[in-house]
Amino acid sequence: MSDLDAIVVGAGPNGLAAGVTLARAGLAVRVYEKGDTVGGGARTMEMTLPGYRHDVCSAVHPLAFESRFFREFGLRRRVDFAVPDASFAQPLDGGRAAVAYRDLDRTADNLGRDGDAYVRLMRPLVERASGVADFTGHPLLRLPADPVAAVWFGLRALEQGSGLWNARFEEDAAPALLTGVAAHTILSLPSLAAAGAGLALSTYGHARGWPIPVGGSQSIVDAMADDLREHGGEIVIGSEVGSLRELPAATAVLLDVVPRDFLRIAGDAVPAGYRDALERFRYGGAVAKIDFALSGPVPWTNEEVRSAGTVHVGGTRAEMAASENLVSRGGLPDAPYVLVAQPSGFDPSRAPAGGHVLWTYTHVPSGSTADRAEAVIRQIERFAPGFRDLIVGMNSRNAVEVEAENPNYPGGDIAAGAPALWQLLKRPIVSPEPWRTPLDGVYLCSASTSPGPGVHGLAGWHAARSALRHTFGTRISPDLAPR
């Protein structure tokens, strides 16, 4: 017999959120983690030179202040954040740039003739940012808490996710600013799912900002792990779970794994219909990630770009769409879209005095073995001449190596499943509680479940609350606030 009430497999943000929620409910919880430290995609480590601390996957956290789990957990009281005035920027040729400030009107002032159009697009969402977060942070098969926010959001996603996406704009800066965020999804452009994700993230950027955790993303997961242990939970690192039969007895098991690995771990116990549904689950495009140690800040031609925590490098809307659509067809663009984070400009603890870390990734087809470092350097040099000369260390990983480091990224898919619209409705099955499996007391809690990718802890929190209702027979949601 075991004294355990619940076991969680995987100590990424979602697994830790599940463990924290169950431990706060008074249950005996044990978390098993394959790696030698907690965090999954939210780890921070030296990857280039001593003293340069790089985020392994996530770096900037638009959902840190909007996720309901993090709000209830009191994340802002546990972790120090730097919040740049400029959430993200889009450099353009000729020394121009579009910059998304937290101040929506300030953003509009730099968008020329399209400034008013951009404000009309975004203001209804920014004013209802919490409603947008609620709508996008739950399964789509539910009545939204703020129906007005959901309607505004849906109408704008329909516009920006279709051939109408240029209808309200006259110039190139505002469309490029929106497309740089939508391209996070690694989907074809335009598309409804990419537009929805881009609008949600842009909303948070104007409403609360895109915060950078001081000390790196590891600070977030360390705070969660500390709370879990403080409430009696146990974390076993360096322990890979190959089968449910290997686990000690427990009333509930929550798995922070992708459907492919759930089927392997659960084995023959999975009913045929559910197995077929999970086998139809599709993984998406991938990333190649390149981290740089620099001897100084990136010399962006446009000074305002230096004030942004995140930079979307890729040029105009048309250029980024062409690049991303080529990746969707299995190609590798010569001038790729590059997502850039420059955390050391706001958190000097990340590099030695005078040095900087630069976090980048670019999109590639699933399973690509291409080294994209040179293509990324060339694209940054386009908007920051002299960047190459500042590089003192570099770590480049292709998509296969990204998956090898984290099995929840099949083929290098950091979203743990294509975030296309149909698969956001069916993540991983069509259900008001998609975290429940047909196995008694067994739940899925990874980013492959609703509400999908991102460091928000919501998939784990939802799964744990589902387990509390259906396995432990209580509808009381535990208090998660710091004590």
Side-chain angles (χ1 to χ4, degrees):
M1 297 296 293
S2 171
D3 294 330
L4 292 175
D5 295 308
I7 289 173
V8 179
V9 176
N14 284 312
L16 290 172
V20 164
T21 305
L22 295 171
R24 284 297 196 103
L27 301 177
V29 179
R30 181 180 296 163
V31 178
Y32 289 95
E33 166 56 39
K34 174 184 177 182
D36 57 5
T37 185
V38 302
R43 290 172 295 138
T44 305
M45 58 192 299
E46 293 180 345
M47 299 171 64
T48 55
L49 299 174
Y52 291 81
R53 291 183 54 76
H54 303 269
D55 290 313
V56 173
C57 186
S58 65
V60 181
H61 295 268
L63 291 161
F65 296 166
E66 291 295 348
S67 157
R68 185 175 168 190
F69 168 76
F70 282 146
R71 291 202 310 270
E72 295 202 8
F73 184 65
L75 186 65
R76 295 181 75 170
R77 293 166 58 188
R78 301 171 185 264
V79 175
D80 292 330
F81 287 94
V83 187
D85 288 338
S87 296
F88 52 94
Q90 184 77 37
L92 296 165
D93 289 324
R96 299 177 301 129
V99 182
Y101 294 97
R102 279 183 281 163
D103 185 326
L104 186 58
D105 293 322
R106 183 182 178 188
T107 302
D109 289 343
N110 292 325
L111 293 179
R113 294 199 302 270
D114 288 333
D116 289 342
Y118 184 84
V119 170
R120 288 194 298 273
L121 177 77
M122 293 304 305
R123 193 179 299 284
L125 304 182
V126 173
E127 291 177 345
R128 293 180 175 270
S130 294
V132 172
D134 174 82
F135 177 62
T136 58
H138 286 81
L140 298 182
L141 297 177
R142 65 183 284 273
L143 291 175
D146 186 344
V148 175
V151 170
W152 280 119
F153 182 80
L155 291 174
R156 277 148 174 71
L158 284 170
E159 173 196 311
Q160 289 300 306
S162 70
L164 297 174
W165 68 340
N166 287 318
R168 76 168 65 222
F169 300 118
E170 300 179 38
E171 300 179 330
D172 62 354
L177 192 63
L178 290 165
T179 304
V181 191
H184 283 223
T185 56
I186 327 182
L187 294 171
S188 298
L189 298 172
S191 69
L192 286 174
L199 287 168
L201 293 174
S202 297
T203 296
Y204 308 148
H206 292 304
R208 305 279 189 271
W210 283 10
I212 297 169
V214 174
S217 296
Q218 190 77 45
S219 300
I220 296 176
V221 291
D222 283 350
M224 297 165 70
D226 289 345
D227 189 86
L228 173 64
R229 294 187 181 105
E230 287 169 8
H231 291 85
E234 179 187 1
I235 301 175
V236 182
I237 62 172
S239 181
E240 183 173 5
V241 175
S243 168
L244 291 177
R245 292 187 294 271
E246 298 175 6
L247 297 173
T251 307
V253 176
L254 289 81
L255 300 163
D256 184 1
V257 302
V258 295
R260 174 193 67 183
D261 290 335
F262 169 80
L263 293 176
R264 174 180 56 81
I265 292 170
D268 296 339
V270 181
Y274 190 72
R275 176 177 290 276
D276 289 345
L278 294 198
E279 287 177 343
R280 289 193 296 270
F281 187 82
R282 291 294 173 257
Y283 303 100
V287 303
K289 187 169 185 293
I290 304 93
D291 289 284
F292 297 96
L294 305 177
S295 60
V298 179
W300 301 108
T301 302
N302 188 290
E303 288 285 340
E304 289 187 87
V305 176
R306 303 185 187 192
S307 67
T310 300
V311 185
H312 303 125
V313 178
T316 64
R317 165 171 276 183
E319 288 178 297
M320 287 183 286
S323 170
E324 293 299 277
N325 293 341
L326 178 59
V327 171
S328 295
R329 296 193 300 270
L332 291 170
D334 292 331
Y337 166 83
V338 184
L339 182 56
V340 176
Q342 38 192 17
S344 53
F346 309 92
D347 173 14
S349 73
R350 303 292 297 276
H356 284 268
V357 295
L358 195 73
W359 175 107
T360 77
Y361 73 56
T362 188
H363 298 154
V364 295
S366 177
S368 171
T369 58
D371 183 343
R372 299 294 282 161
E374 180 57 32
V376 165
I377 293 170
R378 285 199 311 268
Q379 190 71 314
I380 296 175
E381 277 265 339
R382 171 182 168 188
F383 303 101
F387 167 70
R388 187 188 299 271
D389 298 333
L390 298 175
I391 300 171
V392 294
M394 183 173 68
N395 179 286
S396 179
R397 288 173 291 157
N398 63 37
V400 171
E401 291 165 332
V402 168
E403 177 184 9
E405 188 171 66
N406 191 330
N408 272 7
Y409 301 154
D413 173 12
I414 60 172
L421 182 62
W422 63 272
Q423 200 158 264
L424 292 176
L425 290 165
K426 175 182 174 291
R427 197 165 184 98
I429 61 170
V430 178
S431 170
E433 295 206 38
W435 315 279
R436 296 182 68 187
T437 80
L439 306 185
D440 187 33
V442 179
Y443 298 80
L444 268 173
C445 67
S446 71
S448 299
T449 66
S450 182
V455 177
H456 43 59
L458 289 169
W461 181 64
H462 285 310
R465 294 171 74 223
S466 183
L468 288 172
R469 288 191 298 271
H470 298 289
T471 298
F472 295 100
T474 178
R475 301 192 70 84
I476 298 174
S477 187
D479 178 17
L480 304 178
R483 295 177 182 171

